[in-house]
Amino acid sequence: MSETTERSINESVVRLLQGDISTQDTDAVVNAANPDLAPGGGVAGAIHRAGGPELTEACARIRRERGPLPTGKAVITPGGALSALWVIHTVGPVWYGGTGGEPELLACSYRACLAIVREQGLRTVAFPSLSTGAYGYPLEEAASVALATVVADLREHKDTPVEVRFVLFSARDLAAYAAALEAFADG
Ligand code: ADP
C-alpha cells in the first residue's frame, strides 16, 4: 500500500495518493485532455481505455458540436465503463517556459473542474497531475499551482464541501504534491 496524505479544509478534504486515475471510485475523475478530446497517451489514454467506446463517442460528439476545448476550460461527460460515473475533461497549458501565462491557465483548469463538481452536486473528484506529462510543465511548479488553487477554492466554497483526491502516478510526483500541500494547507 502506498502512503496516503490528507488534510481537512473546513468540511472538505484533500487527499494525495499514488495510483492510477482510471481506477478511482470517485463521483468524477478529471482527464488531462487534449483540445480534441481524443484518447491519446498518458492520462487520456488510460481513461479512454477504461471508459470504453461510450466515453470516446461522447467526447467525439462534443468535439463535433462545440469545436476544440480551449486551454483552461472543462467539460463533463458520462464515465462509460469507468468506476467513476463522470469524467471532467480539462485542457491544461503546454509549458512554454512560464512566460505565456501558464500558471494562471493551470489554475483555471483546476477551478473550472471544481466549478463543474459543484454545479453537478458531486461530492468526490480525483485529479491527475495536470500538464506535467506530455505538456512539459515542471513538476514542483505545477504541484504548487495545483494545491494553492484547490485549497483556496475549497476555502472559498465552505458551504459545498467536497473530497478532492490527487492521484499521482509516481512516488516523485506524490512527494512534490505532499510538499505543496504542506505549504498551502497551513495558515
Ligand atoms: P498532460 O498532457 O496534461 O501533460 P499527461 O497525461 O501526459 O498529461 O500526464 C500528466 C501526468 O499524469 C504525468 O505526471 C503522468 O505521468 C501522469 N499519468 C500518466 N498516466 C496516468 C494514470 N493512468 N493515472 C495517473 N496519472 C497518470
Side-chain angles (χ1 to χ4, degrees), residues 31-32 34 38-49 134:
N31 181 20
N34 49 64
V43 168
I47 285 181
H48 278 268
R49 269 193 304 280

Side-chain angles (χ1 to χ4, degrees), residues 19-21 32 41-44 46 128-135 167 169 173:
D20 181 342
I21 190 84
V43 168
S129 175
L130 295 172
S131 283
T132 61
Y135 282 6
V167 182
F169 218 32
D173 293 347

Side-chain angles (χ1 to χ4, degrees), residues 31-40 44 48 55-64 66-70 73-77 87-91 135:
N31 181 20
N34 49 64
D36 288 328
L37 303 178
H48 278 268
L55 172 61
T56 302
E57 279 158 26
C59 287
R61 200 172 319 120
I62 290 176
R63 171 68 182 80
R64 274 196 307 277
R66 304 191 202 171
L69 185 64
K73 304 287 187 202
V75 68
I76 189 167
T77 66
V87 179
I88 301 172
H89 307 264
T90 189
V91 180
Y135 282 6

Side-chain angles (χ1 to χ4, degrees), residues 71-74 90-91 93 101-115 130 145 149:
T71 303
K73 304 287 187 202
T90 189
V91 180
E102 292 94 330
E104 185 48 29
L105 288 168
L106 186 58
C108 282
S109 278
Y110 282 100
R111 283 195 291 262
C113 292
L114 290 173
L130 295 172
V145 170
T149 304

